[in-house]
Amino acid sequence: TEANLTVKPLAGVLDVRMQDVNDPIETGEDAELLVTVVNQGLQPATDVALKCVWPGGFDFRKATARSRGRSLPVKASIEQGY
């Protein structure tokens, strides 16, 4: 099963990586995805938006974000995909 990730940076050059933490995932187990975004540009990147479309059969549980050890606000919305 795969998920699509779309990144919309407003400034900067971003390196984005997504990996599943626990693989393989057995039926009924939680899946954990780790998304890493690194600003490789010379300018600060602000208001970066990540969009992940989940395949059918998955339920979104939570999203967290950190930058330099500090928690960041996350505005999560659920959109079922393909």
Side-chain angles (χ1 to χ4, degrees), residues 2 4-7 9 11-12 14 16 19-21 25 29 36 41 43 47-48 51-52 54 58 63 67 78-79 82:
E2 65 181 55
N4 293 323
L5 179 69
T6 304
V7 179
L14 302 180
V16 180
Q19 68 186 61
D20 52 343
V21 175
I25 304 163
E29 288 185 335
T36 306
Q43 301 295 320
D47 298 320
V48 175
K51 177 181 178 182
C52 187
W54 302 103
F58 282 84
S67 177
I78 300 169
E79 178 181 332
Y82 48 97

Side-chain angles (χ1 to χ4, degrees), residues 1-2 27-28 37-39 52 55:
T1 305
E2 65 181 55
T27 302
V37 180
V38 177
N39 183 359
C52 187

